[in-house]
Amino acid sequence: MLNEYTHQWPVVQLAWTRLSPLGDVLASSSADGRMLVWTPSNKLAAPVMGFDLSAGRRAGAADGAPARPVKPGGSASLGFSPLDPTTFVAGLEAGRMLKCGLHSTEERTVEMTRRQRGEVPWTAAAAALMTHVPVAAYHRLKLRVEKECVLARAKEVTAEAVFAAQPAVDQLYHSPTTFSYEPHGGPVYGVAFSPFHRNVFLTASTDSTVRLYNVLHPRPLLVMEPCSGCLYACCWSPSRPSVFAVGAADGQLYVYDLKWSKGKPVLSLQVTTDKSPVYAIAFNPKEPSVLATADGQGVVKVWRLSGSLSTMAPREQEAFDKLAGSRSEGCAEEEEEAD
């Protein structure tokens, strides 16, 4: 049911991740600038955590300017780190990329709320909603929620009960941003973390560039321009660190192999017959030579790449690690947390 705590605009991306103690959770991002976290344990009846990507915050390290409030705009893409499931990068319609954390600006853990003595026990989902509530409002809200549960003769406090108490949205949802990157010149429709390096991610944008970033550094390691049109998707090979694919507005699928070229794709495939865009790409994790595309003609196609693009080359991981760390020295000092 739509209300002031749910998404107000179309949802543009979904991503599964893990959050202790809830286990597998589903994150949804929307053009309204919100990212909400849901758990199957309550049948998606209510979010268990929420973040406002459009909240006013301090400019990040990439801005090089005095602190000031900014409005990044709606979310266009979302990518979680496979090695750190609470860390993600959000790509925005305004071209910005924000490094975020599910635990950033956290005031207390789920277990802290559940351990505190109260009139009614708290579920993990309800306690997760309270993790970012400011200290000044926390105790009053907690008592109000528990009182209403007692009056309703509820056996436990659920996430729905917290929302029923009608707290202010900005008490529950805060900015998750910890760092920002040099922005694209248009909406960022693709974000993908490398499965081979915890600090590397790709972005694809309507400014016709695909970029390789180290999460610790504001500026890209590489900027590639496979065509003059918009880019809508990017995806890493599950078997080779240096290989990734990009979907473009000209109907082409571009495959890069950074071991052989850091500027040009090694393969271009015409996906659509009318040059309508390629909107999504997915490699098969168990058969890495196989990948699928989804396009503007409403067609899903499956492609098979050559063995050279799906079999790791000697010392490839070492070369990729060197590329990923080429701007790492001193980057930690540049990282600046946002308010």
Side-chain angles (χ1 to χ4, degrees):
M1 182 176 66
L2 294 177
N3 56 49
E4 61 181 317
Y5 304 108
T6 59
H7 290 300
Q8 307 298 305
W9 287 52
V11 174
V12 297
Q13 185 112 31
L14 297 172
W16 288 98
T17 190
R18 292 188 62 81
L19 179 65
S20 179
L22 296 171
D24 291 329
V25 294
L26 181 65
S28 60
S29 63
S30 168
D32 61 12
R34 283 184 182 173
M35 195 200 83
L36 303 180
V37 180
W38 311 79
T39 175
S41 65
N42 69 359
K43 299 182 179 179
L44 309 186
V48 297
M49 196 174 281
F51 300 96
D52 187 0
L53 296 169
S54 65
R57 52 168 207 91
R58 187 174 61 183
D63 302 300
R68 67 187 188 278
V70 296
K71 294 283 285 185
S75 177
S77 55
L78 180 68
F80 276 87
S81 167
L83 301 177
D84 181 3
T86 65
T87 295
F88 63 96
V89 169
L92 307 183
E93 291 175 341
R96 296 174 64 86
M97 290 87 66
L98 307 177
K99 180 186 177 185
C100 306
L102 297 181
H103 295 307
S104 66
T105 68
E106 190 174 71
E107 297 284 353
R108 63 199 63 82
T109 65
V110 169
E111 290 306 318
M112 286 176 64
T113 295
R114 301 187 75 187
R115 283 199 304 264
Q116 290 173 348
R117 184 175 299 177
E119 297 184 69
V120 185
W122 285 66
T123 64
L129 273 172
M130 303 291 285
T131 55
H132 294 81
V133 175
V135 174
Y138 172 72
H139 291 289
R140 181 177 297 176
L141 175 58
K142 184 172 182 292
L143 288 173
R144 186 164 80 247
V145 172
E146 290 178 352
K147 181 179 179 180
E148 293 187 8
C149 285
V150 169
L151 292 174
R153 297 184 179 180
K155 294 182 179 180
E156 58 185 7
V157 178
T158 63
E160 297 94 307
V162 176
F163 289 120
Q166 298 183 327
V169 174
D170 60 6
Q171 288 184 355
L172 299 179
Y173 300 166
H174 296 267
S175 171
T177 305
T178 60
F179 194 59
S180 65
Y181 301 95
E182 185 176 280
H184 277 277
V188 182
Y189 286 123
V191 175
F193 269 88
S194 168
F196 291 93
H197 198 293
R198 69 181 302 118
N199 288 339
V200 174
F201 67 94
L202 277 173
T203 59
S205 169
T206 59
D207 67 2
S208 76
T209 67
V210 56
R211 301 184 182 187
L212 187 75
Y213 284 88
N214 183 309
V215 295
L216 302 177
H217 199 281
R219 289 173 290 280
L221 301 171
L222 291 174
V223 178
M224 294 148 282
E225 190 170 346
C227 63
S228 60
C230 301
L231 304 180
Y232 290 112
C234 57
C235 187
W236 290 96
S237 164
S239 62
R240 285 200 51 199
S242 303
V243 172
F244 60 88
V246 181
D250 61 3
Q252 295 270 1
L253 174 71
Y254 297 98
V255 180
Y256 281 84
D257 186 345
L258 299 179
K259 182 174 175 60
W260 297 107
S261 175
K262 294 181 176 61
K264 297 181 179 180
V266 296
L267 178 65
S268 299
L269 297 171
Q270 186 65 50
V271 177
T272 57
T273 57
D274 63 353
K275 294 188 177 181
S276 56
V278 177
Y279 286 119
I281 309 167
F283 276 90
N284 185 320
K286 294 185 178 180
E287 186 59 53
S289 64
V290 174
L291 78 160
T293 58
D295 60 54
Q297 290 181 303
V299 179
V300 174
K301 296 179 180 179
V302 176
W303 309 80
R304 184 176 293 276
L305 301 180
S306 66
S308 63
L309 286 172
S310 55
T311 304
M312 190 179 297
R315 305 188 70 178
E316 181 176 352
Q317 183 67 58
E318 180 181 339
F320 187 74
D321 291 344
K322 184 177 180 180
L323 172 64
S326 61
R327 288 188 179 176
S328 297
E329 293 184 14
C331 289
E333 286 78 7
E334 292 190 35
E335 184 161 358
E336 181 178 354
E337 289 198 359
D339 286 339

